[in-house]
Amino acid sequence: MLEKHKDGYGEIQDFTAKVRVQEGTKPIFHKPRTVPYALKEAVEKELDRLQKNNIITKVARSDWAAPIVVVPKKDKTVRMCGDYKVTVNRCILPEEYPLPNAEDLFATLSGGKVFSKLDLAFAYQQLKLDPESEQYLTINTHKGLFRFNRLAYGISTAPAIFQQTMDQILDGIDHVVCFMDDILVSAPTIGEHLVVLDKVISRLEKYGVRMKRSKCEFLQDSVEYLGYKIDAQGLHPTNSKVEAIVNAPAPTNISELRSFLGLLNHYGKFVANLSTLLHLLHQLLQADTKWNWSPQCEEAFKTCKQHLLKSKWLAHYNTEMKLRLACDASPYGVGAVISHVLPSGEEHPIAFASRTLSPSEKNYAQIEKEALSIIFGVKKFHKYLYGRKFQLLTDHKPLLAILGPKSAIPTLAALRMQRWALILLAYDYEIEYRRSSDHANADALSRLPCNSDSDSEDDRAVFQITLIDELPISASDIAEETRKDPVLSKVLDLTLGGWPTFVNDDNLCPFINKKDQLSTDQGCVLWGSRVVVPHKFQRRLLSDLHEGHPGITRMKALARSYLWWPGLDQDIQQHVGHCSPCEAVRNTPAAAPLHPWSWADTPWECIHVDYAEIDKQHFLVVVDVHSTWMEVFPTQLTTAEKTINLLRHLFASFGLVKELVSDNAPPPFTSNDFEMFLKNNGVRHIFSTFI
């Protein structure tokens, strides 16, 4: 039955997605964001691929336009998405279609003993857009405007629209449930199961829906679905919900113990006789007590965990109840807690998760570790959160602006942050700040994480200039010199450990303004995707960037794709300005146009005067505009007094003029005495550089 089913982009038939906006909404148009020079070719290839698959269409104009977010992938291609948080998501009307209730879904599966999970390929992009809705999903790129023809990632109503479509496609088939792009099939026997499975696949084929066969699971005895393990005996809570508590290691210092006690106090109302259980552990916190984790302390620690696990504190997931996700990070771990919030405001946890940071993640900037904890929590509890509105809690304030649901994805944030912000586009959430003292549940999980060998982030090359054949500086060279540089070494430490509100060092001022955009990789400091170059290598890299003698504009564009340091633009201008070959071929300024003077109607109406010097001899030159008659007076002095005497002699011979034109050079023509002489004789004085 699978042979007839093809992979790749599908096109769902008989259904379209309609995006509705509030009545009276004014279109929102954003200019395209600057794409780093190094990524332009990859972006253009991705645009061509989407056009070829009829996912997008180029348009000449649009009233709506969202900027794009571009994140590089491991295979040197890019992931591209419209930043709809700043356009249509601000005014979109919510879909009233409810997501399926977990109890109803599982009731449909009762009696099943054989299970199959089907995963859809490019789920949203299989659903065509209503023609009137295409304008809202326009993206603005450096190659122009493109409209999506399919439902796009990042539209807030996309989950509800897609859920409704899939429910209608699978309507009438028993023993089948669908939650978003995951379809679960069950039946009492293999024979019956194959019949149902054939009906489902045939129905998908009829409507043009494609599966991703590599992610499908067929004919299983048990599967995990919506946080539960499902088998012939029914539903079972998965151990993963509480393994972060069960496997939490014993504290090794006072800080970790405080975090664990904070977790217990956070859920203390669910545990009887808590103060008695914690008495021995509280003694270790006393100032005059030496740290000694005794067997009695270990026993008390395990007892507290067992009491917590046996208490009625875990809530069953309910699609009707409010969701809250709390995330936190420590220098060595991340933790997350998903909870239901009762109308009284009381939290009932649904599940816990934690893991240790990999060696590369431990070198992340502090703001990146905090963001990583959010992504860890969102991915871990994806099935609970996807398509639901939820509250996201963090104790790191800068993340409210960077990862806020209505904030534009910052183009100068680290590539990791941009990639994570893009992941969050698919979720409907509100992010809030919670003081660390009230954030004990997530804080404890991050400080007592379960051991993990996973490394969610690949080690990417920091510094690569593909347009230059051989760059003599490697990431290790930059990292070594960063540690030696008196300024960058401080910047590196502050980026890893967290920046203060103010700094007194003037050398750090250019960096503190960018502190939320700084990150580290392989021992180097990065501003967004640009490596911050130590002073030792700056002149050397300027020479490499100037290979081939590009102009200032081109050289700045190259530099902004790869590197930065304070004053980079000025250094580029100075470097190009002192380049002899560039100076030799530089275009000379255009000649200044001649200024046409109005013609005098009568002789001696207007005269032009100026001084000339020949062989250290000065001459006062006077020219009549009407007749071009010239008078020349040799003189040793060019003072205002001497000039006035010469002109007085001239006026006595030929009479007064109406206008006198001179340049605006220093005395004599700009002196007060000269001005008073002309004014007393009724002569209008005109300044010009052209005589």
Side-chain angles (χ1 to χ4, degrees), residues 43-167:
V43 171
E44 291 167 5
K45 287 182 179 179
E46 178 67 7
L47 290 172
D48 290 341
R49 186 188 69 82
L50 292 174
Q51 278 187 283
K52 183 179 179 181
N53 287 283
N54 197 32
I55 306 300
I56 61 174
T57 301
K58 190 172 178 59
V59 294
R61 68 171 305 279
S62 175
D63 294 329
W64 291 81
I68 59 171
V69 182
V70 179
V71 178
K73 296 196 290 188
K74 294 180 183 179
D75 58 2
K76 295 187 179 180
T77 61
V78 295
R79 182 180 290 110
M80 188 177 65
C81 177
D83 191 358
Y84 297 113
K85 292 194 297 183
V86 297
T87 56
V88 66
N89 280 356
R90 294 187 173 185
C91 47
I92 201 168
L93 287 172
E95 292 293 324
E96 301 300 330
Y97 192 82
L99 294 176
N101 186 286
E103 286 75 12
D104 295 338
L105 291 178
F106 294 136
T108 307
L109 303 174
S110 60
K113 296 181 180 180
V114 184
F115 304 90
S116 292
K117 280 175 66 175
L118 309 181
D119 189 88
L120 302 185
F122 309 106
Y124 292 171
Q125 293 185 356
Q126 297 193 54
L127 183 58
K128 291 182 292 186
L129 270 175
D130 178 82
E132 294 182 1
S133 301
E134 291 180 358
Q135 59 173 324
Y136 304 127
L137 275 64
T138 305
I139 56 175
N140 205 348
T141 75
H142 70 284
K143 296 291 286 184
L145 298 167
F146 295 85
R147 279 185 181 172
F148 271 88
N149 305 318
R150 310 285 181 90
L151 186 60
Y153 185 86
I155 298 298
S156 60
T157 55
I161 293 172
F162 194 79
Q163 179 70 48
Q164 183 178 20
T165 301
M166 292 306 302
D167 284 348

Side-chain angles (χ1 to χ4, degrees), residues 397-526:
K397 266 191 176 180
L399 292 180
L400 272 63
I402 297 175
L403 300 180
K406 295 183 180 180
S407 303
I409 296 177
T411 56
L412 285 176
L415 289 178
R416 290 191 196 97
M417 298 289 282
Q418 292 190 43
R419 184 163 59 251
W420 295 338
L422 191 147
I423 291 172
L424 292 176
L425 281 178
Y427 297 88
D428 185 9
Y429 65 95
E430 295 177 350
I431 188 168
E432 294 186 16
Y433 169 75
R434 175 185 268 182
R435 293 182 305 173
S436 297
S437 57
D438 300 327
H439 207 50
N441 52 349
D443 175 72
L445 295 175
S446 71
R447 294 184 182 278
L448 297 169
C450 298
N451 289 326
S452 173
D453 296 328
S454 64
D455 188 349
S456 62
E457 290 296 313
D458 54 294
D459 292 326
R460 298 175 182 271
V462 185
F463 195 71
Q464 46 183 351
I465 298 187
T466 56
L467 301 178
I468 297 176
D469 294 332
E470 292 185 3
L471 189 68
I473 303 173
S474 65
S476 58
D477 294 331
I478 293 176
E480 181 180 357
E481 195 57 35
T482 295
R483 270 297 175 196
K484 296 178 181 178
D485 189 286
V487 176
L488 284 188
S489 60
K490 294 180 182 178
V491 172
L492 179 63
D493 291 338
L494 290 170
T495 301
L496 288 171
W499 285 79
T501 306
F502 303 101
V503 293
N504 296 322
D505 191 343
D506 293 339
N507 293 321
L508 296 177
C509 289
F511 297 95
I512 195 170
N513 295 330
K514 300 174 175 60
K515 63 181 181 179
D516 295 334
Q517 300 162 0
L518 296 177
S519 60
T520 67
D521 200 344
Q522 301 179 54
C524 305
V525 179
L526 282 79

Side-chain angles (χ1 to χ4, degrees), residues 34 212 254 280 304 332 356 367 379 556 579 581 619 659:
T34 302
K212 192 169 187 177
I254 289 179
L280 185 61
C304 289
Y332 45 84
T356 55
I367 190 172
K379 286 185 174 181
K556 284 182 179 179
C579 177
F619 299 90
E659 293 180 349

Side-chain angles (χ1 to χ4, degrees), residues 358-373:
S358 68
S360 61
E361 290 169 342
K362 290 177 182 178
N363 292 324
Y364 285 1
Q366 184 58 34
I367 190 172
E368 290 181 305
K369 291 175 184 173
E370 298 288 351
L372 175 62
S373 71

Side-chain angles (χ1 to χ4, degrees), residues 540-660:
R540 192 172 174 184
L541 286 175
L542 283 176
S543 298
D544 284 311
L545 287 171
H546 196 54
E547 185 176 335
H549 301 283
I552 291 177
T553 303
R554 165 85 172 180
M555 193 171 167
K556 284 182 179 179
L558 278 172
R560 288 169 184 168
S561 292
Y562 306 103
L563 51 88
W564 178 80
W565 62 79
L568 173 62
D569 286 355
Q570 292 85 344
D571 289 347
I572 289 176
Q573 291 175 346
Q574 186 178 17
H575 186 86
V576 176
H578 287 81
C579 177
S580 300
C582 290
E583 188 70 27
V585 299
R586 183 171 298 154
N587 294 331
T588 57
L594 295 176
H595 178 74
W597 289 97
S598 57
W599 187 256
D601 295 329
T602 60
W604 212 244
E605 178 182 327
C606 176
I607 61 174
H608 287 207
V609 300
D610 198 7
Y611 274 102
E613 181 182 0
I614 302 175
D615 296 333
K616 299 183 180 181
Q617 173 66 53
H618 296 284
F619 299 90
L620 177 63
V621 181
V622 181
V623 180
D624 174 47
V625 172
H626 181 81
S627 63
T628 68
W629 177 265
M630 181 184 296
E631 291 283 339
V632 181
F633 300 93
T635 177
Q636 297 296 323
L637 301 175
T638 60
T639 62
E641 182 181 0
K642 182 63 176 179
T643 305
I644 291 171
N645 290 334
L646 292 174
L647 289 179
R648 183 180 284 117
H649 174 76
L650 185 64
F651 292 161
S653 301
F654 296 100
L656 294 172
V657 297
K658 293 181 179 180
E659 293 180 349
L660 181 145

Side-chain angles (χ1 to χ4, degrees), residues 30 48 193 222-223 237 284 293 302 381 394 407 414 436 461 473 501 634:
H30 276 262
D48 290 341
H193 184 88
S222 65
V223 292
L284 288 177
W293 190 255
K302 292 180 179 179
F381 303 124
T394 178
S407 303
S436 297
I473 303 173
T501 306

Side-chain angles (χ1 to χ4, degrees), residues 285-306:
L285 299 181
Q286 296 178 7
D288 56 350
T289 302
K290 185 179 179 181
W291 175 264
N292 178 26
W293 190 255
S294 63
Q296 292 78 12
C297 292
E298 180 69 24
E299 185 63 28
F301 173 71
K302 292 180 179 179
T303 302
C304 289
K305 289 201 297 183
Q306 290 301 317

